[in-house]
Amino acid sequence: AGGLRAMGLEPVLVGGMALVLLGSRRVTRDFDFVIPHPGDRVSALVDLFYDRGFDLASQVDDAGDIVATIDNRRVAGTRLTLDAPASAYFWHSAKRLRIDLLFDFPVPAAELAASAVKTTIRGRVLNVASAADLLRLKEIAATRRSAAGDAQDIEFLKAHLQG
């Protein structure tokens, strides 16, 4: 998160890990961040991750698991620039760590950052989306896909907001 912040791309933690921080028992394998669209800083963004041992995912299976990556940072940067996706997934095979970047999607990062909660985890300060924003994001996701855990996450967030 510090590297993204240094680039002016203030990350906001969303998704399963944000729910875990709120007390959900959800099991998640990745970190999801909404960031501003990198624009002309795509190659710097790619360098940031490749310098830390991550590769850009080039293929995911039906379950959402990464099955292929691009090991060449120049190819990865070109791919992100040409495809202009709404999100990018980075995989660190040695650490078995996945980081998903959502580029102002489905809600602008600045909007989420305005009500995010600063949380310190292992000495690092992270902006975590508010419970209300997490609920809004989950409801958006549930209308676009049929993931098994979405209904449970929505139920958890509604209970958390009432509690």
Side-chain angles (χ1 to χ4, degrees), residues 9-124:
L9 302 173
E10 189 66 43
V12 179
L13 184 66
V14 298
M17 199 56 69
L19 290 171
V20 168
L21 292 175
L22 289 178
S24 171
R25 294 184 184 187
R26 185 183 207 278
V27 175
T28 187
R29 302 169 301 196
D30 63 352
F31 287 82
D32 303 298
F33 292 97
V34 175
I35 66 169
H37 195 284
D40 62 357
R41 296 171 287 177
V42 167
S43 60
L45 176 70
V46 168
D47 285 343
L48 177 72
F49 280 89
Y50 277 71
D51 287 349
R52 287 163 172 77
F54 287 86
D55 289 338
L56 178 67
S58 58
Q59 186 178 2
V60 294
D61 63 17
D62 291 339
D65 294 322
I66 294 172
V67 294
T69 61
I70 299 171
D71 62 1
N72 182 303
R73 71 178 67 210
R74 195 173 298 156
V75 172
T78 300
R79 175 88 174 261
L80 280 179
T81 300
L82 293 176
D83 292 351
S87 59
Y89 313 132
F90 289 90
W91 174 248
H92 194 297
S93 58
K95 293 181 180 178
R96 315 252 347 124
L97 176 61
R98 176 175 165 167
I99 296 180
D100 296 353
L101 299 179
L102 310 169
F103 305 130
D104 283 322
F105 176 79
V107 173
E111 191 176 319
L112 295 173
S115 57
V117 178
K118 290 206 180 301
T119 306
T120 303
I121 302 169
R122 294 185 181 173
R124 296 178 192 258

